[in-house]
């Protein structure tokens, strides 16, 4: 029997890195002059989302810039963040929810599988929950598949894991 080589396409954000980035951003906000006396805050809501709160949209944008800088320094991909609408909150403040992506959404999984089939490479792709498993006989073809996937923009962050041969 011919051996099968496989790898998984996943989309996960390292939660401890997000926690560290939020803590660093809060520290910076507390020391910055332009945030003195403002009601600006960044809070984590479980492992699913981050909530930004500030006095107005301008300060909220600045708060988001600080957070993004800290996330990038900690190697958290910004493509893994989904921004909600800016909405009014209590006490004349504004709030924005940022959802952290965990797993590949179903429609993106289908798009990835279709893209892999359209490459005409000799691999099989299958959706398994919130990841896509790609298998093939030749390791070089799997490498070509990874290269093709990296070159295409799916608007999500992707990692390639569990590269193994059976």
């Amino acid at each position: 029997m011919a051996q099968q080589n496989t790898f998984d396409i996943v989309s996960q954000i390292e939660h401890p890195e997000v926690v560290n980035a939020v803590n660093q951003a809060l520290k910076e906000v507390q020391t910055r002059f332009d945030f003195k006396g403002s009601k600006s805050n960044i809070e984590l809501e479980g492992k699913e989302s981050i909530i930004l709160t500030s006095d107005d949209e301008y300060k909220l944008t600045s708060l988001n810039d600080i957070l993004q800088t800290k996330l990038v320094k900690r190697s958290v991909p910004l493509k893994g963040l989904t921004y909600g609408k800016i909405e009014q909150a209590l006490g004349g403040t504004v709030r924005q929810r940022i959802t952290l992506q965990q797993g590949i959404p179903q429609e993106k999984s289908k798009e990835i599988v279709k893209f892999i089939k359209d490459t005409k490479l000799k691999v099989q792709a299958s959706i398994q929950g919130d990841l896509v498993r790609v298998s093939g006989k030749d390791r070089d073809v799997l490498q070509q598949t990874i290269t093709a996937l990296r070159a295409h923009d799916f608007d999500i962050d992707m990692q390639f894991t569990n590269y193994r041969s059976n």
Side-chain angles (χ1 to χ4, degrees), residues 116-124 141 144-146 148:
I116 291 171
K117 285 183 179 166
D118 291 347
T119 62
K120 303 278 192 258
L121 294 170
K122 294 191 178 196
V123 293
Q124 290 79 42
V141 176
Q144 290 171 6
T145 306
I146 290 174

Side-chain angles (χ1 to χ4, degrees), residues 13-26 41-53 67 71 76 81 96-102:
I13 292 177
E14 297 292 325
H15 189 68
E17 295 299 335
V18 173
V19 171
N20 292 337
V22 166
N23 290 337
Q24 288 176 343
L26 280 171
N41 192 23
I42 305 170
E43 65 180 283
L44 282 166
E45 198 174 70
K47 292 186 176 187
E48 297 87 42
S49 59
I50 301 170
I51 298 179
L52 303 177
T53 312
L67 178 63
L71 288 169
V76 174
L81 307 177
Q96 185 175 29
R97 178 183 302 272
I98 303 171
T99 308
L100 303 173
Q101 182 179 324
Q102 292 297 349

